[in-house]
Amino acid sequence: MSFVVPKESFNGKVASVDFGKDDKALTIGGDSALPFLSFEGELPNKPVVAYEIQDCPPDDWPDTVREVYKDVSGDPVTWAKYCQDEQGAKAIALRLVSTHPDRGDKSAEEASQTIKDVLAAISVPLIILGSNHIEKDSTVLVAAAEAASGNNCVIGKAQEGNYKTIVAAALAHNHKLIAMSELDINLAKQLNILITQMGFDKNKLITDPMCSALGYGLEYTYSVMERIRLAGLAQNDPTMQPPILGDVGMYVWKVKETVASEADVPEWGSLEERGIAWETLTATSLILSGANLLIMRHPSAIENVGKTIDELV
Amino acid sequence: MALTGVQVFKLLPKTNCKKCGFPTCLAFAMKLAQGGADISACPDVSEEAKTTLGEASAPPIRSFAIGTGDKAPKMGAETVMFRHEKKFVNPCAIAINIKDNDDSLAAKAEEVANSEIDRVGQILRVEAISIECASGDSATYEAAVKLAAEKAPEAALILNCKDAAVVEAAVKAVADRKPLINGATDENAEAMAAIAKANSCPIIACADGLEALSALTEKIKGLGVEDIVLDSGAKSAKEIIVNNTQIRRAALKKSFKPLGYPVINNVIRDNAILEASIASVAIAKYASIIVVSSVEKWKTLALFTQRQNIYTDPQVPMQVEQKIYEIGEPTADSPLMITTNFSLTYFIVAGEIENSKVPSRLAVMDSEGLSVLTAWAAGKFTAAKIAVFIQESGIGDTLTNKELILPGQVAILSGALEDKLGDWKITVGPREANAIPTYLKGRE
């Protein structure tokens, strides 16, 4: 009995989505094989990791990751430049936390100014994220899309309760769009259909099936991503072919394992390495299940995920 | 490849003698094909048919344990490529590699012995120690193996040495622990297989690439050793994911017996975080044993947790323990919310309470892993049951005001709950978890 390489080929293909501009533009997706199985298909683009920053100081981030940015995080422009110039960020994700009614309730106009300032200071692609408040995002992200017009940004997240205005704005200002649903492949599919029915090009869409942290529902995100990718490739379902986003940092840097000190939980070992490992392993698991774009916080975690990706391709 | 009922039928005597307990040979054949009967029930079947049926019914990935005792890690017996299809069966064992001339060998082995932790009700541990023959000296190696065995009395042992003479002495020293021999190469296969056979030990087949590996496992099997672990020579993460995927696919989809064995991957890196990351690649992608260089507590916690996530049964909702969870540092005045014990419900609700920054208590009630609405519909999250849970918890005595916040989805329960919990105030909270931060802040 001699060994024959068991190959599987698929009819479907993940859409290629580019964002940013000029020589710093990035492309994700384009896969015609399962993650990192390049012996049986094309995987033209490596997963991309974006550094997460926000429009107000990260008071709610645990020490391990807040300390890293303590000298720059008072101002989003300084913070963005630091990530680009000092950390070598390939992309930056700006979360407009302070527009949330409970976190400062800043206006859409203030958010627009922040976006303009950040865009003026960096050359790498920008991902613009709302505060995850359904009503507020529907006005803030519309203004954000306009403020970032011409920069080919990624805007998000459009959800079932607010997608119409956000889709229209992304369409009008020629941005890419993140569609987010909550850990259910059918909801992800339905939202993608609703958005494309508005005339939004499916090749400009990124799907976010909702992230979860290692130990806190990661298996659900992992399997939903795997099923989305299989549906897109094996069943050639066009509504399941957008590249996939894993919004890792915000889910990881609040769980007990990234917060509790070694003094409190001696059996868990060093807090610093534990937190970094938590974000790293969450991200690595998700690139294996299909994520094409990750949003992360700790430079050391980002570096190690990058090294893992380099080993995988 | 499993045979169909008709294929099995062709191998039977077709006498319809009923001695097997079935009315006809065809009925027996159908049952055999489903795995619901044993061929030995037929007294007249030929030896040739028995062999054919035995091979057809063997699991596509051979299953066995490494070591001895209750804690010996089981491996193999996997049936699917993706965890959403069916539960991954035997969680990947974690092994630390220790050099035989490492001065801290005893301390490292003790670290393994003390690695047990409890996570969501499961006891997790580093299962194995790989002792590497770095000294090249037989006496040093044997002493190191004995010391590791003594310091970690329940760990599985892997003898990492390619010199058959050195291995033989070490195997004899710890033969009662049934160590995994690492291992057989094309050059030493005869000698290593003889040692494995004589001591009933499993063996690792080490080759570069899957073609050479397939030939080697056939050779070892021909020498009488069947408990084989595969080392394809994969080093980079890419080689790990590609080789492991091809091995599992060949075994499951092509019934390719020479690769129908568990897989071991060495994931040792200079950088500890990177090592954990590469280890997580191997755990997610089909390794049965991973070998790491160190077992710091933070690292094993992360690996145990990822392994647990990957090996969770996708058809059985994960449950969290019924109790009153404290989030932040609640005082007697902090709010008390209630939800069900479906793990995802708990993670999302607890996560949103954390996001609110309002110290709170979350009463998680056993609803057999159902979400709030499903549990209510199934009669597992009723006013009567909630009342019993809250009263028995005694939480009311620690609160300034006895107030319980119900999920908005089950607002309908509030009247009945007020009747059953006479001195409690029942408040209806938000319908969706993402409204919790606004809700809790609004109460302050």
Side-chain angles (χ1 to χ4, degrees):
Chain A
M1 245 174 156
S2 66
F3 173 72
V4 180
V5 174
K7 285 191 188 178
E8 286 180 7
S9 60
F10 302 117
N11 297 324
K13 191 173 179 183
V14 178
S16 290
V17 175
D18 69 284
F19 56 106
K21 54 180 191 174
D22 305 329
D23 60 332
K24 296 290 168 61
L26 296 170
T27 306
I28 53 172
D31 319 29
S32 65
L34 292 170
F36 308 107
L37 300 184
S38 51
F39 66 95
E40 57 190 5
E42 296 295 317
L43 298 168
N45 301 297
K46 289 199 283 191
V48 166
V49 183
Y51 275 71
E52 177 177 351
I53 67 167
Q54 57 184 45
D55 64 348
C56 56
D59 299 328
D60 56 334
W61 294 14
D63 291 348
T64 306
V65 64
R66 197 183 55 217
E67 279 292 304
V68 179
Y69 300 111
K70 67 178 191 307
D71 296 332
V72 296
S73 58
D75 162 50
V77 172
T78 315
W79 193 352
K81 277 188 74 65
Y82 171 79
C83 292
Q84 173 187 279
D85 299 339
E86 305 299 322
Q87 297 293 345
K90 299 277 188 296
I92 286 169
L94 169 64
R95 201 181 298 277
L96 300 165
V97 173
S98 69
T99 62
H100 194 287
D102 299 337
R103 301 288 300 274
D105 205 15
K106 282 197 181 157
S107 67
E109 291 71 34
E110 287 172 281
S112 297
Q113 192 56 52
T114 304
I115 290 162
K116 285 179 184 163
D117 293 345
V118 169
L119 279 168
I122 61 169
S123 55
V124 297
L126 185 66
I127 299 165
I128 302 167
L129 302 166
S131 64
N132 203 27
H133 186 277
I134 299 284
E135 292 85 43
K136 192 70 187 285
D137 279 0
S138 73
T139 57
V140 167
L141 291 175
V142 168
E146 189 182 350
S149 194
N151 285 280
N152 192 24
C153 293
V154 176
I155 305 269
K157 299 168 183 176
Q159 304 182 51
E160 192 190 354
N162 64 10
Y163 72 91
K164 285 184 181 160
T165 56
I166 300 169
V167 170
L171 197 58
H173 298 284
N174 216 5
H175 295 299
K176 306 306 187 292
L177 182 71
I178 301 166
M180 180 185 146
S181 48
E182 293 186 350
L183 282 179
D184 181 324
I185 185 169
N186 294 311
L187 292 179
K189 182 178 164 79
Q190 185 191 332
L191 183 59
N192 291 351
I193 291 171
L194 290 171
I195 288 172
T196 47
Q197 278 174 349
M198 285 182 68
F200 196 85
D201 184 353
K202 79 173 179 68
N203 296 313
K204 293 185 173 182
L205 205 54
I206 295 168
T207 197
D208 175 4
M210 193 166 157
C211 193
S212 351
L214 179 62
Y216 293 83
L218 178 67
E219 67 271 31
Y220 295 96
T221 300
Y222 184 92
S223 282
V224 170
M225 285 187 181
E226 237 173 21
R227 291 176 63 201
I228 288 175
R229 185 51 40 87
L230 282 166
L233 294 180
Q235 290 151 37
N236 199 8
D237 178 345
T239 67
M240 296 273 79
Q241 289 171 343
I244 300 174
L245 167 70
D247 194 357
V248 172
M250 69 177 285
Y251 287 90
V252 166
W253 293 103
K254 66 177 183 184
V255 305
K256 197 176 172 195
E257 284 81 352
T258 63
V259 178
S261 72
E262 190 171 1
D264 287 343
V265 200
E267 67 271 27
W268 285 0
S270 156
L271 172 59
E272 167 105 12
E273 282 146 314
R274 191 191 328 136
I276 294 167
W278 223 255
E279 188 174 33
T280 305
L281 265 64
T282 302
T284 297
S285 300
L286 296 182
I287 57 172
L288 297 174
S289 60
N292 304 87
L293 176 62
L294 300 170
I295 298 172
M296 295 177 63
R297 291 183 177 172
H298 200 290
S300 177
I302 294 171
E303 183 194 349
N304 282 294
V305 170
K307 286 180 176 168
T308 304
I309 292 170
D310 288 342
E311 264 201 43
L312 278 163
V313 298
Chain B
M1 187 78 77
L3 298 177
T4 65
V6 174
Q7 287 169 321
V8 175
F9 176 64
K10 288 176 183 163
L11 300 167
L12 297 179
K14 305 184 195 69
T15 52
N16 296 334
C17 71
K18 302 188 177 61
K19 288 179 200 159
C20 61
F22 290 87
T24 62
C25 288
L26 184 62
F28 182 50
M30 291 300 173
K31 210 69 186 171
L32 279 172
Q34 294 163 10
D38 195 285
I39 185 67
S40 62
C42 176
D44 304 320
V45 74
S46 69
E47 279 306 315
E48 186 194 342
K50 270 190 197 170
T51 311
T52 310
L53 283 170
E55 277 175 10
S57 62
I61 300 176
R62 189 172 171 83
S63 177
F64 52 93
I66 302 293
T68 54
D70 297 343
K71 294 181 180 174
K74 293 188 187 68
M75 45 201 62
E78 299 297 338
T79 59
V80 293
M81 300 298 296
F82 302 103
R83 64 171 298 280
H84 63 262
E85 298 174 286
K86 206 171 174 204
K87 185 180 187 296
F88 283 5
V89 183
N90 288 311
C92 175
I94 298 172
I96 179 178
N97 188 67
I98 313 176
K99 293 190 166 88
D100 63 346
N101 51 10
D102 183 338
D103 294 337
S104 51
L105 182 141
K108 286 180 176 174
E110 276 171 359
E111 213 179 343
V112 170
N114 298 323
S115 64
E116 270 191 11
I117 61 159
D118 181 333
R119 192 172 189 286
V120 290
Q122 289 183 12
I123 305 293
L124 307 165
R125 67 179 69 81
V126 176
E127 288 89 353
I129 300 178
S130 160
I131 305 109
E132 179 183 343
C133 183
S135 68
D137 175 61
S138 187
T140 305
Y141 191 61
E142 188 182 328
V145 168
K146 275 176 155 165
L147 184 59
E150 179 199 321
K151 295 292 178 187
E154 291 180 309
L157 303 173
I158 304 173
L159 304 186
N160 184 0
C161 175
K162 301 294 184 286
D163 183 330
V166 175
V167 164
E168 186 163 28
V171 167
K172 283 186 179 149
V174 291
D176 58 327
R177 298 278 287 270
K178 302 279 174 227
L180 171 61
I181 299 171
N182 182 17
T185 62
D186 194 41
E187 292 75 39
N188 70 11
E190 285 81 5
M192 286 291 192
I195 299 166
K197 195 176 177 192
N199 295 282
S200 310
C201 292
I203 195 165
I204 300 180
C206 311
D208 207 7
L210 302 187
E211 211 173 308
L213 188 58
S214 305
L216 181 58
T217 61
E218 289 289 87
K219 185 171 173 180
I220 294 169
K221 193 179 168 198
L223 293 164
V225 179
E226 294 200 79
D227 289 345
I228 302 170
V229 176
L230 305 175
D231 179 352
S232 67
K235 293 197 176 55
S236 69
K238 177 181 180 168
E239 289 165 337
I240 288 172
I241 190 172
V242 167
N243 288 3
N244 290 8
T245 300
Q246 291 185 355
I247 288 169
R248 184 170 292 192
R249 250 193 222 162
L252 296 184
K253 310 271 184 201
K254 309 286 177 195
S255 301
F256 185 65
K257 294 285 176 190
L259 294 179
Y261 300 99
V263 170
I264 188 167
N265 291 133
N266 178 326
V267 296
I268 293 173
R269 299 292 183 277
D270 291 337
N271 158 347
I273 304 271
L274 181 63
E275 181 171 299
S277 182
I278 304 300
S280 76
V281 172
I283 289 172
K285 289 295 166 185
Y286 317 133
S288 287
I289 312 174
I290 53 165
V291 181
V292 296
S293 66
S294 60
V295 289
E296 298 92 332
K297 289 186 163 62
W298 60 265
K299 189 204 272 179
T300 52
L301 181 72
L303 293 178
F304 291 158
T305 305
Q306 194 232 11
R307 173 173 77 179
Q308 198 174 37
N309 286 169
I310 296 292
Y311 279 85
T312 295
D313 189 338
Q315 274 132 19
V316 178
M318 277 283 277
Q319 302 182 21
V320 292
E321 186 191 346
Q322 165 168 312
K323 70 173 190 184
I324 314 268
Y325 291 82
E326 297 197 339
I327 299 170
E329 287 172 6
T331 64
D333 296 317
S334 299
L336 170 68
M337 307 185 82
I338 186 164
T339 192
T340 64
N341 77 330
F342 175 37
S343 66
L344 199 54
T345 301
Y346 166 75
F347 291 142
I348 291 174
V349 171
E352 292 294 354
I353 295 175
E354 276 160 12
N355 288 344
S356 78
K357 305 285 169 207
V358 178
S360 305
R361 289 183 182 82
L362 178 61
V364 172
M365 192 174 122
D366 183 359
S367 61
E368 296 171 29
L370 299 178
S371 62
V372 169
L373 259 189
T374 323
W376 170 74
K380 303 193 189 301
F381 195 57
T382 62
K385 288 181 178 169
I386 294 171
V388 170
F389 168 45
I390 293 298
Q391 270 158 351
E392 287 184 353
S393 75
I395 186 69
D397 302 337
T398 67
L399 301 178
T400 313
N401 299 306
K402 292 184 181 177
E403 183 189 6
L404 180 65
I405 302 168
L406 273 185
Q409 302 267 20
V410 291
I412 193 167
L413 295 177
S414 62
L417 251 181
E418 269 174 356
D419 290 346
K420 294 191 190 303
L421 285 172
D423 51 342
W424 283 72
K425 180 183 173 196
I426 307 299
T427 304
V428 175
R431 289 178 59 85
E432 299 293 341
N434 61 16
I436 288 173
T438 306
Y439 172 78
L440 286 178
K441 284 197 170 140
R443 288 169 50 94
E444 281 189 317

